[in-house]
PDB file of all heavy atoms in Angstrom:
ATOM      1  N   ILE A 422     -96.162 -49.275 178.731  1.00  0.00           N
ATOM      2  CA  ILE A 422     -96.532 -50.149 177.641  1.00  0.00           C
ATOM      3  C   ILE A 422     -95.562 -51.244 177.508  1.00  0.00           C
ATOM      4  O   ILE A 422     -94.380 -50.997 177.249  1.00  0.00           O
ATOM      5  CB  ILE A 422     -96.617 -49.301 176.265  1.00  0.00           C
ATOM      6  CG1 ILE A 422     -97.791 -48.262 176.507  1.00  0.00           C
ATOM      7  CG2 ILE A 422     -96.773 -50.181 175.098  1.00  0.00           C
ATOM      8  CD1 ILE A 422     -97.999 -47.355 175.279  1.00  0.00           C
ATOM      9  N   GLU A 423     -96.040 -52.506 177.813  1.00  0.00           N
ATOM     10  CA  GLU A 423     -95.072 -53.598 177.871  1.00  0.00           C
ATOM     11  C   GLU A 423     -94.735 -53.945 176.420  1.00  0.00           C
ATOM     12  O   GLU A 423     -95.455 -53.761 175.464  1.00  0.00           O
ATOM     13  CB  GLU A 423     -95.802 -54.833 178.519  1.00  0.00           C
ATOM     14  CG  GLU A 423     -96.245 -54.641 179.941  1.00  0.00           C
ATOM     15  CD  GLU A 423     -94.929 -54.515 180.858  1.00  0.00           C
ATOM     16  OE1 GLU A 423     -93.820 -54.950 180.439  1.00  0.00           O
ATOM     17  OE2 GLU A 423     -95.096 -53.860 181.962  1.00  0.00           O
ATOM     18  N   ASP A 424     -93.507 -54.586 176.276  1.00  0.00           N
ATOM     19  CA  ASP A 424     -92.997 -54.948 175.019  1.00  0.00           C
ATOM     20  C   ASP A 424     -93.960 -55.790 174.220  1.00  0.00           C
ATOM     21  O   ASP A 424     -94.189 -55.537 173.028  1.00  0.00           O
ATOM     22  CB  ASP A 424     -91.692 -55.831 175.138  1.00  0.00           C
ATOM     23  CG  ASP A 424     -90.555 -55.058 175.783  1.00  0.00           C
ATOM     24  OD1 ASP A 424     -90.734 -53.879 176.100  1.00  0.00           O
ATOM     25  OD2 ASP A 424     -89.451 -55.658 175.899  1.00  0.00           O
ATOM     26  N   ASP A 425     -94.588 -56.796 174.821  1.00  0.00           N
ATOM     27  CA  ASP A 425     -95.398 -57.700 174.044  1.00  0.00           C
ATOM     28  C   ASP A 425     -96.748 -57.108 173.625  1.00  0.00           C
ATOM     29  O   ASP A 425     -97.475 -57.760 172.943  1.00  0.00           O
ATOM     30  CB  ASP A 425     -95.564 -59.095 174.798  1.00  0.00           C
ATOM     31  CG  ASP A 425     -96.201 -58.901 176.114  1.00  0.00           C
ATOM     32  OD1 ASP A 425     -96.461 -57.735 176.463  1.00  0.00           O
ATOM     33  OD2 ASP A 425     -96.348 -59.924 176.814  1.00  0.00           O
ATOM     34  N   ARG A 426     -96.950 -55.941 174.103  1.00  0.00           N
ATOM     35  CA  ARG A 426     -98.227 -55.280 173.855  1.00  0.00           C
ATOM     36  C   ARG A 426     -98.031 -54.264 172.702  1.00  0.00           C
ATOM     37  O   ARG A 426     -99.042 -53.733 172.051  1.00  0.00           O
ATOM     38  CB  ARG A 426     -98.756 -54.539 175.148  1.00  0.00           C
ATOM     39  CG  ARG A 426    -100.161 -54.130 175.001  1.00  0.00           C
ATOM     40  CD  ARG A 426    -100.733 -53.800 176.387  1.00  0.00           C
ATOM     41  NE  ARG A 426    -101.946 -52.881 176.235  1.00  0.00           N
ATOM     42  CZ  ARG A 426    -101.929 -51.833 176.797  1.00  0.00           C
ATOM     43  NH1 ARG A 426    -100.947 -51.321 177.581  1.00  0.00           N
ATOM     44  NH2 ARG A 426    -103.071 -50.959 176.582  1.00  0.00           N
ATOM     45  N   LEU A 427     -96.834 -53.874 172.432  1.00  0.00           N
ATOM     46  CA  LEU A 427     -96.560 -52.751 171.494  1.00  0.00           C
ATOM     47  C   LEU A 427     -97.141 -52.969 170.124  1.00  0.00           C
ATOM     48  O   LEU A 427     -97.755 -52.079 169.629  1.00  0.00           O
ATOM     49  CB  LEU A 427     -95.082 -52.373 171.542  1.00  0.00           C
ATOM     50  CG  LEU A 427     -94.765 -51.080 170.833  1.00  0.00           C
ATOM     51  CD1 LEU A 427     -95.434 -49.912 171.528  1.00  0.00           C
ATOM     52  CD2 LEU A 427     -93.261 -50.823 170.770  1.00  0.00           C
ATOM     53  N   ALA A 428     -96.804 -54.112 169.534  1.00  0.00           N
ATOM     54  CA  ALA A 428     -97.262 -54.332 168.128  1.00  0.00           C
ATOM     55  C   ALA A 428     -98.770 -54.256 168.069  1.00  0.00           C
ATOM     56  O   ALA A 428     -99.320 -53.769 167.022  1.00  0.00           O
ATOM     57  CB  ALA A 428     -96.764 -55.680 167.709  1.00  0.00           C
ATOM     58  N   GLY A 445     -96.556 -64.090 171.347  1.00  0.00           N
ATOM     59  CA  GLY A 445     -96.072 -62.906 172.287  1.00  0.00           C
ATOM     60  C   GLY A 445     -94.606 -62.876 172.416  1.00  0.00           C
ATOM     61  O   GLY A 445     -94.070 -61.902 172.863  1.00  0.00           O
ATOM     62  N   CYS A 447     -92.371 -63.021 170.072  1.00  0.00           N
ATOM     63  CA  CYS A 447     -91.717 -62.489 168.817  1.00  0.00           C
ATOM     64  C   CYS A 447     -91.566 -61.012 169.002  1.00  0.00           C
ATOM     65  O   CYS A 447     -92.414 -60.312 169.426  1.00  0.00           O
ATOM     66  CB  CYS A 447     -92.616 -62.783 167.643  1.00  0.00           C
ATOM     67  SG  CYS A 447     -91.675 -62.451 166.096  1.00  0.00           S
ATOM     68  N   TYR A 474     -92.282 -48.548 165.138  1.00  0.00           N
ATOM     69  CA  TYR A 474     -92.447 -49.648 166.127  1.00  0.00           C
ATOM     70  C   TYR A 474     -91.097 -50.104 166.716  1.00  0.00           C
ATOM     71  O   TYR A 474     -91.054 -50.229 167.890  1.00  0.00           O
ATOM     72  CB  TYR A 474     -93.152 -50.834 165.400  1.00  0.00           C
ATOM     73  CG  TYR A 474     -93.056 -52.128 166.152  1.00  0.00           C
ATOM     74  CD1 TYR A 474     -93.837 -52.386 167.273  1.00  0.00           C
ATOM     75  CD2 TYR A 474     -92.077 -53.067 165.702  1.00  0.00           C
ATOM     76  CE1 TYR A 474     -93.670 -53.490 167.954  1.00  0.00           C
ATOM     77  CE2 TYR A 474     -91.964 -54.304 166.399  1.00  0.00           C
ATOM     78  CZ  TYR A 474     -92.734 -54.475 167.552  1.00  0.00           C
ATOM     79  OH  TYR A 474     -92.586 -55.692 168.240  1.00  0.00           O
ATOM     80  N   MET A 477     -89.730 -47.626 169.171  1.00  0.00           N
ATOM     81  CA  MET A 477     -90.491 -47.658 170.421  1.00  0.00           C
ATOM     82  C   MET A 477     -90.059 -48.934 171.215  1.00  0.00           C
ATOM     83  O   MET A 477     -90.001 -48.877 172.464  1.00  0.00           O
ATOM     84  CB  MET A 477     -91.933 -47.558 170.314  1.00  0.00           C
ATOM     85  CG  MET A 477     -92.364 -46.071 170.054  1.00  0.00           C
ATOM     86  SD  MET A 477     -94.141 -45.984 170.249  1.00  0.00           S
ATOM     87  CE  MET A 477     -94.357 -45.644 171.972  1.00  0.00           C
ATOM     88  N   LEU A 478     -89.981 -50.039 170.477  1.00  0.00           N
ATOM     89  CA  LEU A 478     -89.635 -51.274 171.208  1.00  0.00           C
ATOM     90  C   LEU A 478     -88.275 -51.215 171.891  1.00  0.00           C
ATOM     91  O   LEU A 478     -88.095 -51.812 172.933  1.00  0.00           O
ATOM     92  CB  LEU A 478     -89.633 -52.466 170.150  1.00  0.00           C
ATOM     93  CG  LEU A 478     -89.562 -53.776 170.878  1.00  0.00           C
ATOM     94  CD1 LEU A 478     -90.937 -54.067 171.593  1.00  0.00           C
ATOM     95  CD2 LEU A 478     -89.209 -54.949 169.938  1.00  0.00           C
ATOM     96  N   LYS A 480     -87.218 -48.877 173.326  1.00  0.00           N
ATOM     97  CA  LYS A 480     -87.437 -48.099 174.581  1.00  0.00           C
ATOM     98  C   LYS A 480     -86.894 -46.684 174.431  1.00  0.00           C
ATOM     99  O   LYS A 480     -86.866 -45.987 175.488  1.00  0.00           O
ATOM    100  CB  LYS A 480     -86.738 -48.737 175.776  1.00  0.00           C
ATOM    101  CG  LYS A 480     -87.406 -50.018 176.196  1.00  0.00           C
ATOM    102  CD  LYS A 480     -87.458 -50.170 177.647  1.00  0.00           C
ATOM    103  CE  LYS A 480     -88.424 -51.252 178.145  1.00  0.00           C
ATOM    104  NZ  LYS A 480     -88.149 -52.561 177.738  1.00  0.00           N
ATOM    105  N   ARG A 483     -90.349 -44.817 175.388  1.00  0.00           N
ATOM    106  CA  ARG A 483     -91.459 -45.586 175.992  1.00  0.00           C
ATOM    107  C   ARG A 483     -90.912 -46.109 177.309  1.00  0.00           C
ATOM    108  O   ARG A 483     -89.691 -46.466 177.484  1.00  0.00           O
ATOM    109  CB  ARG A 483     -91.793 -46.660 175.153  1.00  0.00           C
ATOM    110  CG  ARG A 483     -92.773 -47.672 175.722  1.00  0.00           C
ATOM    111  CD  ARG A 483     -93.070 -48.868 174.707  1.00  0.00           C
ATOM    112  NE  ARG A 483     -91.863 -49.572 174.386  1.00  0.00           N
ATOM    113  CZ  ARG A 483     -91.570 -50.690 174.934  1.00  0.00           C
ATOM    114  NH1 ARG A 483     -92.437 -51.405 175.677  1.00  0.00           N
ATOM    115  NH2 ARG A 483     -90.450 -51.331 174.616  1.00  0.00           N
ATOM    116  N   SER A 485     -92.046 -49.012 180.368  1.00  0.00           N
ATOM    117  CA  SER A 485     -92.974 -50.068 180.658  1.00  0.00           C
ATOM    118  C   SER A 485     -93.271 -50.158 182.161  1.00  0.00           C
ATOM    119  O   SER A 485     -93.778 -51.093 182.602  1.00  0.00           O
ATOM    120  CB  SER A 485     -92.397 -51.479 180.231  1.00  0.00           C
ATOM    121  OG  SER A 485     -91.128 -51.665 180.668  1.00  0.00           O
TER     122      SER A 485
END
Side-chain angles (χ1 to χ4, degrees):
I422 293 177
E423 296 295 338
D424 293 3
D425 58 0
R426 193 165 159 237
L427 187 62
C447 190
Y474 162 77
M477 279 194 88
L478 191 71
K480 292 221 166 58
R483 173 180 60 104
S485 51

